[in-house]
Amino acid sequence: MNNNFPMLNTGYIYLDNGATTWKPEPVIKKINEYYNDFTANAHRGDYDISLRVDNEYEGARKIVADFINSDYKEVIFTSGTTDALNLVAEGYFRKHLQKDDEIIINYAEHASNVMPWFRLANDLGVKVKFAALNDSNALTLDSIKEVVSDKTKVISLAMITNVIGDLRDVKEIVKFAHERGIKVVVDGAQSVPHIKTDVKDLDCDFLAFSGHKMCGPTGIGVLYGKYELLEEMEPRNLGGGMNASFDSPEEIELKSIPTRFEAGTPNIEGAIGLGAAIKYLESIGMDNIQKHEVGLKKYLVDELSKIEHIKMYNKDTISGTVVFNVDGIFSQDVAIYLSKYKICVRAGNHCAKLLKNKLGTDNTVRVSIYIYNTKEDVDKLVSLLQDKNKILNEML
Amino acid sequence: MDSEIKKAIIMEHYSNPHNREEIHDDNYIKVNSKSETCIDNLDIYLKMNGDVIEDLKFYGEACAISTSAASIMTELLKGKTITEANNIISNYDNMVLEKDYDKDCLGDALCYDEIYKQTNRINCALIPWRGIKKALDQYEEKK
């Protein structure tokens, strides 16, 4: 699909894009530019390079906003999805939930969309309820309907999960939730990099995602929130850059939204790097990216289906993720075997530790595809998995 | 030890692990051993008779190295006194971590004498042994 990823020259076949992604030249160039040509702090100086930092940093916010179809004031830079989900839980919901209120999640969620809610449950006496997954391990509105009650205040879910990779009908779920006054938090870590995201169309209340899973740098992410909800959200950090004045504990004035949520020197290289990454993805087109991934997944599934000793757990989901096991071989041994051929895949529970009872196994091998992966990558992977004896022989 | 023989020992203990059994018996001390960086996750069950390891079992999901190491460990330590066991444990640790060690007490566990060359496998080889160490320490504390 494209060849401007310097990591492609290393000979690695990278199939762990659910964990993080490689960076294209325009992103690396942008970050270098900041360090080589205009290093200065943001929101500070009266000199030209600091003003340029402001323009680039706030420009990146605008790029993000356009990308997800929000207002730029509704885009808060965080350190990643985890940080963003914790900010929503702690900054907004800690204030708005009361004892016996209910939060709905499900067993396929990533740790970062489970643990912040568990903390609220422990601290506030709110209840975390689990919507069931269906026979294909996917989540549908029907299973949410089964657990919803008049105490439900929040539904928090990934748009695409990081193991099964099912694309949830968030729009339909939001509509159902809003009819009952329920807020919806969307974990977009595995969806925003891969499909077109429109927060106005989804009508979700909050959306969290990470830069590094979409060709951007590590350490940068985004929390989108509806403006009227952000007005009621508490900053987690207080300090420089987010206050307008502080004379005494009674006299504190915060800056406007979203700056008040970004205390301290921001991750400048991260934000502008993310801006460059989004521009890069847009130059390819999100529809093309999704088409490429789904097509390659289908090819991989078709090929792996021919191999008797391979069991797949998510053949039918529409995404770029395939999870499987080789019969009788521990997933980590398979991953280490493949690594000897410079193929990078992930083994384990993929931070979705609640999912194991559903799959009947704790651990799987996960292949997650992105824009730079090719049919040749898939062929190489499949050829290495053909012969079980070869795996057993070479995995040690 | 020839590398093909090492491989054969590991594969044999991985395919047919000895003493791999989940125990529900209060006479056993149960400890869990896992790593923060990999996905091996083993329970170790220790039954003592005075100063002697009367029985040793393990159970859990783990890779070939970790599973075989657990199997070999249980065979090696069963019937040993606490002092003997601690001596074997520290020699094994030293071998895996590329320090000086006494070959004579390690038996089949010598098949991991070059595991240090694969940094992503060192932990796997240590996980069951960290478990037995913890279990023995617990037993000594209770005494």
Side-chain angles (χ1 to χ4, degrees):
Chain A
M1 201 166 195
N2 42 66
N3 54 6
N4 34 14
F5 289 81
M7 280 297 293
L8 286 171
N9 303 325
T10 60
Y12 284 100
I13 294 178
Y14 188 74
L15 295 168
D16 192 16
N17 294 287
T20 196
T21 53
W22 285 353
K23 319 306 170 197
E25 268 156 9
V27 170
I28 297 165
K29 187 166 161 257
K30 193 77 204 176
I31 294 167
N32 281 337
E33 237 174 70
Y34 169 59
Y35 288 120
N36 288 328
D37 303 339
F38 62 99
T39 302
N41 211 324
H43 316 307
R44 296 286 192 284
D46 295 319
Y47 44 91
D48 59 353
I49 52 172
S50 178
L51 291 172
R52 180 166 174 204
V53 171
D54 274 3
N55 288 337
E56 297 263 4
Y57 183 75
E58 293 305 325
R61 197 190 305 279
K62 184 81 177 56
I63 293 170
V64 172
D66 290 346
F67 183 63
I68 61 171
N69 193 26
S70 75
D71 188 88
Y72 86 101
K73 284 183 181 161
E74 296 173 319
V75 171
I76 300 164
F77 284 123
T78 65
S79 74
T81 305
T82 302
D83 190 30
L85 290 170
N86 276 277
L87 175 56
V88 181
E90 291 297 314
Y92 185 85
F93 286 102
R94 182 174 284 278
K95 206 167 95 175
H96 290 85
L97 293 180
Q98 288 171 349
K99 190 170 180 305
D100 297 330
D101 282 346
E102 291 173 0
I103 299 161
I104 297 179
I105 59 173
N106 60 85
Y107 288 111
E109 295 299 320
H110 187 280
S112 57
N113 193 25
V114 176
M115 295 184 68
W117 304 115
F118 279 3
R119 173 152 68 186
L120 291 186
N122 290 334
D123 291 357
L124 305 178
V126 299
K127 234 197 233 157
V128 176
K129 286 170 103 176
F130 290 87
L133 305 178
N134 67 16
D135 291 342
S136 320
N137 296 311
L139 177 78
T140 62
L141 177 58
D142 286 340
S143 60
I144 288 177
K145 282 181 181 168
E146 279 169 29
V147 287
V148 83
S149 80
D150 53 7
K151 302 248 193 231
T152 308
K153 293 288 168 9
V154 200
I155 298 170
S156 190
L157 77 169
M159 182 126 177
I160 294 178
T161 55
N162 73 317
V163 183
I164 300 302
D166 56 313
L167 172 60
R168 277 90 177 259
D169 193 340
V170 169
K171 192 175 172 177
E172 183 190 52
I173 292 168
V174 169
K175 187 168 172 287
F176 170 82
H178 284 176
E179 283 163 3
R180 287 154 185 80
I182 300 167
K183 300 277 186 292
V184 179
V185 179
V186 178
D187 170 358
Q190 301 292 343
S191 64
V192 174
H194 305 283
I195 61 173
K196 190 163 173 31
T197 306
D198 182 334
V199 291
K200 287 212 171 75
D201 182 52
L202 294 174
D203 199 28
C204 58
D205 298 292
F206 296 98
L207 169 77
F209 59 97
S210 297
H212 71 99
K213 292 187 200 289
M214 50 194 289
C215 297
T218 52
I220 190 78
V222 169
L223 175 67
Y224 155 83
K226 282 185 176 163
Y227 191 80
E228 63 269 27
L229 301 179
L230 295 183
E231 284 182 307
E232 294 171 34
M233 191 166 84
E234 292 291 327
R236 282 221 291 165
N237 295 331
L238 305 177
M242 58 79 70
N243 71 80
S245 66
F246 54 99
D247 295 317
S248 71
E250 296 78 32
E251 296 167 277
I252 293 174
E253 196 193 332
L254 301 183
K255 280 191 180 167
S256 58
I257 295 166
T259 314
R260 75 168 61 150
F261 299 109
E262 297 173 1
T265 294
N267 180 355
I268 298 165
E269 65 150 283
I272 63 176
L274 174 58
I278 289 174
K279 286 277 163 213
Y280 183 81
L281 296 181
E282 282 176 331
S283 75
I284 299 168
M286 294 310 292
D287 291 341
N288 291 331
I289 291 171
Q290 189 187 12
K291 217 166 101 189
H292 172 75
E293 290 172 14
V294 170
L296 212 51
K297 169 175 174 170
K298 190 178 177 308
Y299 178 62
L300 173 60
V301 167
D302 288 347
E303 291 303 303
L304 289 182
S305 298
K306 296 175 195 160
I307 305 176
E308 210 171 295
H309 53 260
I310 289 196
K311 179 182 166 133
M312 283 179 276
Y313 299 93
N314 67 339
K315 277 186 188 182
D316 302 326
T317 58
I318 301 167
S319 69
T321 305
V322 179
V323 282
F324 66 92
N325 268 318
V326 178
D327 181 38
I329 305 183
F330 192 56
S331 58
Q332 193 184 2
D333 291 320
V334 176
I336 287 176
Y337 159 75
L338 291 171
S339 82
K340 295 180 180 181
Y341 293 89
K342 296 187 98 170
I343 295 183
C344 311
V345 299
R346 173 91 182 262
N349 54 46
H350 321 294
C351 293
K353 296 190 183 185
L354 300 173
L355 189 62
K356 61 185 177 192
N357 297 329
K358 241 343 245 182
L359 296 185
T361 176
D362 280 3
N363 299 298
T364 50
V365 181
R366 182 183 71 182
V367 169
S368 46
I369 294 163
Y370 209 29
I371 38 184
Y372 32 77
N373 295 127
T374 61
K375 193 169 163 292
E376 288 70 35
D377 294 349
V378 171
D379 287 338
K380 179 92 190 276
L381 172 72
V382 171
S383 76
L384 285 167
L385 293 171
Q386 293 281 2
D387 182 353
K388 194 170 150 184
N389 283 328
K390 182 177 160 70
I391 304 174
L392 284 166
N393 247 324
E394 298 180 11
M395 70 190 198
L396 293 181
Chain B
M1 207 184 275
D2 175 73
S3 72
E4 283 307 308
I5 294 177
K6 286 181 198 170
K7 216 154 115 179
I9 294 173
I10 293 172
M11 287 313 289
E12 172 54 29
H13 279 272
Y14 177 47
S15 317
N16 304 297
H18 303 188
N19 301 305
R20 185 174 186 275
E21 189 186 336
E22 202 172 1
I23 303 281
H24 303 279
D25 179 346
D26 291 344
N27 293 313
Y28 285 77
I29 298 171
K30 177 188 173 184
V31 299
N32 179 262
S33 189
K34 60 185 171 196
S35 141
E36 289 186 8
T37 52
C38 80
I39 55 182
D40 298 321
N41 189 345
L42 294 176
D43 289 329
I44 306 288
Y45 303 91
L46 168 70
K47 188 179 180 190
M48 296 296 294
N49 182 357
D51 224 19
V52 175
I53 297 176
E54 186 178 308
D55 195 19
L56 193 52
K57 297 267 194 287
F58 78 98
Y59 198 74
E61 269 203 68
C63 72
I65 297 294
S66 209
T67 303
S68 58
S71 172
I72 291 170
M73 178 188 82
T74 56
E75 288 295 313
L76 208 53
L77 296 184
K78 243 197 278 187
K80 298 284 190 296
T81 64
I82 294 177
T83 317
E84 287 166 343
N86 278 329
N87 177 49
I88 295 172
I89 293 168
S90 69
N91 275 298
Y92 180 85
D93 263 20
N94 285 347
M95 173 185 76
V96 170
L97 298 171
E98 218 189 338
K99 296 180 202 157
D100 289 338
Y101 67 98
D102 173 15
K103 276 184 177 176
D104 295 339
C105 66
L106 289 178
D108 274 357
L110 282 172
C111 65
Y112 306 106
D113 67 346
E114 288 185 306
I115 203 80
Y116 63 84
K117 290 180 182 167
Q118 293 186 66
T119 32
N120 53 359
R121 291 289 207 179
I122 291 173
N123 244 322
C124 310
L126 288 174
I127 281 168
W129 290 80
R130 297 238 157 94
I132 183 65
K133 181 101 188 89
K134 213 160 48 168
L136 284 171
D137 288 349
Q138 266 184 31
Y139 178 71
E140 297 249 70
E141 267 169 40
K142 267 197 232 158
K143 258 206 311 196

